[in-house]
Amino acid sequence: MTFKTIFSALVIMFSISSLNAQQIKSLGAMTFSPEGILFAGDKVSGAIHAFDLSTETRSTPQFEINAYNIDAQVAAVLGTATGNSKINDIAVHPKSGEIYISVTRGHGLEAIPALVKVNATSQLQVVDFPTLKSSSQALNKLHDGSQNFIIRGTMGPATIKEIEKSKLPMRTLSIMDIQYHKGEVFVAGITNENFCSALRRMPYPFNGKESISNIEMFHIAHDEYETRAPIRSFVIKNIDGKDQMVAAYTCSPLVLIPLDELKNGAKVKARTLGDMGNGQPLEMVSFSMKGNDMIFVISNSRTPRVIPVAGLNNAKVYTEKDFERGGKSDMGILPIGPMGKPVMFTGSALHIDLLDPMHFATIRRDPETGSMDLETVSIFFPNKLNNVMAEMDFPQYVKEHENDKKKKK
Amino acid sequence: MIKIGLILFLAAATISGIVAQITPDLSLPEQSNGVITFDISGIADDKLDKLDYNLLSVFVATETNEYATALPIQGNFSIVENKLIFKPYFPFEKGLAYVIRLKNSGTEKFYYLSFQIGEKEKNEQAKLLSIFPTADLLPENLLRFYFYFQTPMKQEEALKHIKLIDEKGNVDDHAFMKFKEELWSNDGKRLTVLFDPGRIKRGVSTNVIEGSSLENGRRYHLKISGEWKDVYEQSLVKKAMKEIRVVEPYRKKINIEEWAVSEPRFDSLDKLIIDFDRIIDHTLIQSMMQVKDGAENLVEGYWETLSSEQQVQFVPKNKWQQGSYKIVFDTRLEDVAGNNLQNLLDHNIMDKDVKEIFQFIDFKIL
């Protein structure tokens, strides 16, 4: 009997893909430039791809978009069973207002990328992305996919799901978020180094040049300086008179990183402005409410939070000197700092982007049915009321209310 | 293999307008990357304006077989020589049922036809393939067993299904180590079970109190219940039993000079055979043993274990050339009791550590 080394499917997938880094092998985190270039992270081939969608225009007036059971709809148009495709991210085209969805169709070695868009009338259309004008840039210092995470339980033996988590290659955190800013693409993620939390920046149009900085930050909840866990999501804002990255980490510090410090090879100390409370941020989106610059943050563990950018100017920077030693949690002092406030959001937000100045496009899980629905919600009250039954839903209330109105007249 | 079924069967040549005969005009994909073609030569030109999902749609079959609101699979339509061709953006999947909907433009009625490409690859049966070490005669200080399965098994319940039973039928519930998590290979098909090292290492409290799990001269059997399920909820095909006869413990560290090495012939594909003086841990052989030529180049080939892992053979890829060779052993290579080329498993920590990384056996091809 011969014994051959057992490789996981992912290791094989990654090692093959590294031979041909420019091929489009997956589509994950996405963002649009104002001109309509779609940037998508590909952690399988290890590259950022740019698709030119700049000629797309708005053809129909924007109405409310509701694509219920979006996971099942995506699977249907891709000709596969529900559950055999996974939604990775959404991004709204700045000109057409159409919502682009990056998808992984299939699992393991069979997995292939797909791009689907939802138009103003809530119709799905598969985007035949190989036919689009595109360019790619391969990323440097990527994990080869051979190293996995460790097994860590939650105050006890690890569950099967926790063990499954440990089988993920570290490479899966290579590309967490992408933003386009003034002719450059910024990418948060990790490199193959020990001090691996990294920000990459590269000019667009791509010219092969990539600058990689490693980021250290003080983590209030963990009471330590951290250099590995990556930035989960970020936006770029003008704070204290210069362009700075506002970045969110797991469990859940919010930090500032001036863009002018992001030089190739630099070890950058981020400024910790506070902590949003335990949990894992998923996505951040900039918007403006009544003329005020705001950030909307969604988390896999908390209701969304709205952070006024004004509060981040001249803000206190927290270090280890500000606290007694030991971990911090929601049961203690968290949240802390100018972290805005949590807002009502029925169900659980999985993905979000700004649709137009008045609306977000979001994919959320319905709290009662668990269905995954793509919807648009108002920035003032980002909710649908199908899960809420209140005084105002009673017919008698409506009647009385109408009578009151008449009396007033 | 393509499977076709008419959900609503149509008598041939009875449909007016577009579709004269359904099946002869329609060709179905035989492979995942195939296309659907539909003969449209009988259709009036004015009806061809909108050759899209109205005329021909393909769906992933739904549980209810209702397609009024279902979304068709998207792809490209083209016309080549009077044939409408639908190529989906993504290949059809093996084993998934699809439904084609054709519209009769005369009657505005829909007709449905289902098809499927091949069968979904079935899971292999859940089965215990082998237990290593494969020998029946095992040393008293045996450190571990390896269990190989055909399919990935359910984890965190192994010790419910694996029992060590002595001659009198008593089950030793403390024989094996209970870890925070079991030691499975990434693919979930190989389990490593360690004897409690405290029972093996001489002088450690559990060894003193409970004694060794295996005792020299006694017989045991290892019983694996047939109720153990794999991740697909299939139970093992049958329960398994391994007889064990316990012999003297391995109390000497490995001395490679005691191993006999065969002499491959020049210009042959002779296997290079090593006779061990004991049973070696089979999992370490591929990674911790290499053959190099006089210029330190790796000789291509692979290792196979023989005679219950007391013998190993190197199968060369290319014919042996004249010259000197050496077998390189990583000193972490272990016997089945966990002793390696540097130390015994239960060596005194005051012993000086040997810092060698490799040891060699030289041989020549004449």
Side-chain angles (χ1 to χ4, degrees):
Chain A
M1 186 170 177
T2 307
F3 296 97
K4 291 177 183 161
T5 315
I6 299 159
F7 292 103
S8 73
L10 275 165
V11 174
I12 296 168
M13 184 165 79
F14 284 141
S15 57
I16 293 168
S17 65
S18 63
L19 300 173
N20 201 341
Q22 304 296 325
Q23 274 187 26
I24 300 171
K25 300 214 165 165
S26 72
L27 296 173
M30 297 196 296
T31 194
F32 271 101
S33 76
E35 296 77 27
I37 307 294
L38 177 65
F39 297 96
D42 179 347
K43 51 195 173 189
V44 179
S45 76
I48 304 296
H49 307 298
F51 301 100
D52 189 344
L53 292 159
S54 57
T55 54
E56 300 275 308
T57 50
R58 194 175 295 249
S59 54
T60 31
Q62 199 72 34
F63 293 110
E64 186 160 286
I65 298 172
N66 292 310
Y68 297 133
N69 298 304
I70 185 68
D71 50 344
Q73 291 202 41
V74 164
V77 298
L78 297 178
T80 189
T82 309
N84 197 38
S85 63
K86 181 178 175 292
I87 289 173
N88 298 320
D89 200 9
I90 65 168
V92 175
H93 194 294
K95 294 178 180 170
S96 74
E98 290 175 326
I99 302 159
Y100 284 71
I101 305 173
S102 58
V103 181
T104 302
R105 181 188 188 272
H107 301 287
L109 289 171
E110 311 270 299
I112 41 177
L115 191 60
V116 177
K117 65 179 182 180
V118 179
N119 68 15
T121 54
S122 304
Q123 301 300 305
L124 274 70
Q125 171 68 52
V126 176
V127 180
D128 195 11
F129 67 82
T131 64
L132 296 175
K133 195 177 139 195
S134 70
S135 60
S136 302
Q137 177 154 328
L139 302 181
N140 296 308
K141 291 190 184 176
L142 281 172
H143 266 283
D144 62 8
S146 62
Q147 204 177 354
N148 298 353
F149 294 97
I150 59 142
I151 299 173
R152 184 167 72 102
T154 319
M155 298 177 189
T159 63
I160 289 174
K161 283 189 177 184
E162 285 168 335
I163 292 168
E164 282 304 310
K165 181 185 94 168
S166 75
K167 290 177 183 164
L168 285 175
M170 283 162 65
R171 181 164 172 138
T172 52
L173 298 189
S174 299
I175 304 169
M176 303 305 305
D177 197 8
I178 305 182
Q179 293 295 328
Y180 174 87
H181 180 73
K182 296 180 184 169
E184 283 183 287
V185 179
F186 291 81
V187 180
I190 62 170
T191 64
N192 56 8
E193 300 151 301
N194 184 29
F195 185 166
C196 64
S197 172
L199 284 168
R200 301 161 185 273
R201 68 193 293 181
M202 59 207 81
Y204 182 80
F206 297 132
N207 61 6
K209 284 187 184 144
E210 178 193 10
S211 156
I212 305 177
S213 318
N214 297 93
I215 314 298
E216 182 187 51
M217 58 96 190
F218 176 65
H219 196 298
I220 298 171
H222 298 164
D223 190 30
E224 63 187 8
Y225 284 86
E226 297 192 347
T227 57
R228 297 184 185 91
I231 290 166
R232 308 298 303 199
S233 189
F234 65 93
V235 291
I236 294 169
K237 292 276 146 201
N238 194 283
I239 291 167
D240 295 337
K242 56 182 173 182
D243 284 348
Q244 303 211 52
M245 193 173 278
V246 183
Y249 285 88
T250 295
C251 218
S252 302
L254 193 79
V255 306
L256 280 189
I257 302 159
L259 296 192
D260 59 14
E261 292 183 19
L262 296 178
K263 297 188 174 117
N264 194 31
K267 307 268 185 269
V268 179
K269 275 192 194 321
R271 282 69 149 168
T272 303
L273 298 191
D275 190 299
M276 296 177 283
N278 302 144
Q280 183 155 287
L282 294 174
E283 293 176 10
M284 296 168 84
V285 57
S286 295
F287 70 110
S288 173
M289 190 156 59
K290 295 174 183 164
N292 297 313
D293 206 3
M294 310 291 250
I295 304 169
F296 198 87
V297 188
I298 63 171
S299 162
N300 74 0
S301 330
R302 315 180 73 90
T303 192
R305 183 170 280 278
V306 170
I307 302 174
V309 175
L312 305 180
N313 280 292
N314 301 312
K316 174 179 171 55
V317 175
Y318 287 98
T319 69
E320 83 282 5
K321 294 185 184 104
D322 295 300
F323 304 98
E324 285 178 19
R325 297 283 69 80
K328 316 286 182 299
S329 77
D330 293 340
M331 302 300 180
I333 60 161
L334 303 184
I336 190 168
M339 300 294 104
K341 56 182 175 182
V343 293
M344 175 182 170
F345 190 99
T346 46
S348 175
L350 305 175
H351 300 283
I352 195 155
D353 200 5
L354 193 63
L355 180 77
D356 61 37
M358 305 300 280
H359 297 91
F360 294 121
T362 180
I363 293 181
R364 68 166 189 130
R365 277 228 182 263
D366 186 283
E368 283 173 33
T369 65
S371 66
M372 197 193 283
D373 303 325
L374 186 148
E375 289 169 315
T376 52
V377 290
S378 157
I379 60 165
F380 296 102
F381 185 68
N383 289 286
K384 295 295 179 194
L385 292 177
N386 61 302
N387 302 112
V388 176
M389 195 63 86
E391 182 81 359
M392 303 76 161
D393 291 300
F394 287 79
Q396 297 89 335
Y397 176 90
V398 178
K399 219 172 187 177
E400 282 172 22
H401 206 67
E402 280 171 359
N403 290 339
D404 288 348
K405 269 188 188 170
K406 279 177 195 165
K407 276 179 197 165
K408 276 180 192 167
K409 280 181 186 173
Chain B
M1 230 341 246
I2 179 164
K3 287 207 312 200
I4 305 170
L6 270 179
I7 291 176
L8 177 62
F9 186 74
L10 307 163
T14 56
I15 307 145
S16 59
I18 287 187
V19 187
Q21 284 185 313
I22 291 266
T23 36
D25 293 343
L26 191 69
S27 103
L28 298 173
E30 290 183 14
Q31 301 291 332
S32 285
N33 57 0
V35 297
I36 294 170
T37 62
F38 182 51
D39 194 330
I40 49 170
S41 46
I43 304 177
D45 281 350
D46 63 331
K47 302 242 162 110
L48 285 176
D49 293 347
K50 222 183 164 194
L51 272 180
D52 59 9
Y53 304 106
N54 267 325
L55 183 62
L56 186 157
S57 310
V58 189
F59 303 91
V60 176
T62 64
E63 278 177 20
T64 55
N65 262 328
E66 292 284 341
Y67 298 95
T69 59
L71 292 178
I73 298 166
Q74 295 187 2
N76 286 314
F77 286 95
S78 57
I79 297 173
V80 178
E81 292 171 355
N82 281 329
K83 283 195 166 68
L84 173 67
I85 300 168
F86 173 69
K87 182 171 174 49
Y89 288 124
F90 294 90
F92 294 108
E93 282 178 15
K94 276 187 182 168
L96 191 62
Y98 293 97
V99 168
I100 298 177
R101 185 179 68 189
L102 294 166
K103 190 179 186 184
N104 181 323
S105 74
T107 63
E108 296 286 313
K109 270 188 181 169
F110 287 123
Y111 298 97
Y112 297 90
L113 179 94
S114 71
F115 74 96
Q116 183 179 323
I117 299 164
E119 293 288 340
K120 198 172 183 109
E121 278 160 36
K122 271 199 185 141
N123 295 324
E124 289 176 291
Q125 279 187 318
K127 205 166 158 188
L128 177 65
L129 298 173
S130 53
I131 301 173
F132 276 75
T134 56
D136 300 338
L137 291 170
L138 294 168
E140 185 180 90
N141 57 347
L142 177 72
L143 184 59
R144 58 202 147 200
F145 283 114
Y146 298 96
F147 297 84
Y148 286 84
F149 298 93
Q150 188 148 277
T151 53
M153 298 299 289
K154 272 198 179 167
Q155 302 188 359
E156 310 313 312
E157 54 182 67
L159 295 187
K160 275 197 279 182
H161 302 291
I162 301 174
K163 299 288 175 205
L164 182 72
I165 303 166
D166 68 13
E167 289 158 316
K168 293 175 192 155
N170 298 320
V171 177
D172 184 349
D173 282 326
H174 305 291
F176 303 115
M177 267 304 273
K178 290 183 180 71
F179 285 106
K180 192 172 168 191
E181 62 280 330
E182 295 168 356
L183 305 172
W184 286 92
S185 59
N186 273 346
D187 65 359
K189 294 182 188 177
R190 188 190 78 190
L191 172 69
T192 307
V193 174
L194 264 76
F195 279 96
D196 183 342
R199 302 272 299 270
I200 300 172
K201 291 189 179 186
R202 289 161 294 178
V204 175
S205 67
T206 41
N207 171 267
V208 174
I209 299 161
E210 299 191 60
S212 185
S213 301
L214 301 175
E215 276 182 56
N216 186 9
R218 294 195 182 274
R219 289 167 183 267
Y220 297 83
H221 55 264
L222 196 60
K223 214 169 127 185
I224 293 89
S225 93
E227 285 161 25
W228 198 351
K229 287 181 177 173
D230 68 4
V231 296
Y232 310 113
E233 294 292 331
Q234 313 178 100
S235 299
L236 292 177
V237 178
K238 54 184 179 191
K239 61 184 176 187
M241 186 100 94
K242 179 182 171 65
E243 299 287 344
I244 299 162
R245 282 168 55 205
V246 182
V247 295
E248 288 279 325
Y250 293 168
R251 295 293 186 205
K252 270 165 56 187
K253 74 177 179 187
I254 299 173
N255 180 3
I256 57 172
E257 283 168 22
E258 290 176 18
W259 293 352
V261 179
S262 70
E263 294 172 357
R265 290 161 304 169
F266 163 64
D267 202 31
S268 76
L269 285 170
D270 282 356
K271 286 151 187 145
L272 172 71
I273 298 168
I274 306 173
D275 286 302
F276 300 132
D277 65 331
R278 61 184 81 197
I279 308 171
I280 295 296
D281 185 299
H282 73 285
T283 61
L284 301 173
I285 287 171
Q286 297 294 342
S287 59
M288 301 208 170
M289 288 173 56
Q290 292 178 332
V291 181
K292 286 187 172 175
D293 66 15
E296 290 286 319
N297 295 316
L298 212 57
V299 178
E300 283 186 83
Y302 61 90
W303 295 98
E304 278 179 348
T305 53
L306 307 166
S307 310
S308 303
E309 304 90 65
Q310 296 196 68
Q311 198 179 48
V312 70
Q313 65 179 15
F314 179 77
V315 183
K317 190 182 166 197
N318 302 309
K319 287 180 178 171
W320 295 103
Q321 300 302 306
Q322 272 181 342
S324 57
Y325 288 87
K326 61 182 173 185
I327 308 166
V328 183
F329 298 92
D330 187 313
T331 53
R332 292 171 295 170
L333 183 69
E334 288 179 8
D335 64 24
V336 293
N339 307 307
N340 62 28
L341 275 57
Q342 300 199 43
N343 286 313
L344 295 175
L345 177 72
D346 61 351
H347 68 284
N348 187 328
I349 52 165
M350 299 308 282
D351 288 352
K352 264 193 185 163
D353 275 341
V354 187
K355 286 284 187 306
E356 275 178 306
I357 300 170
F358 298 108
Q359 291 182 10
F360 310 95
I361 294 179
D362 297 311
F363 67 98
K364 275 198 168 75
I365 307 283
L366 301 169

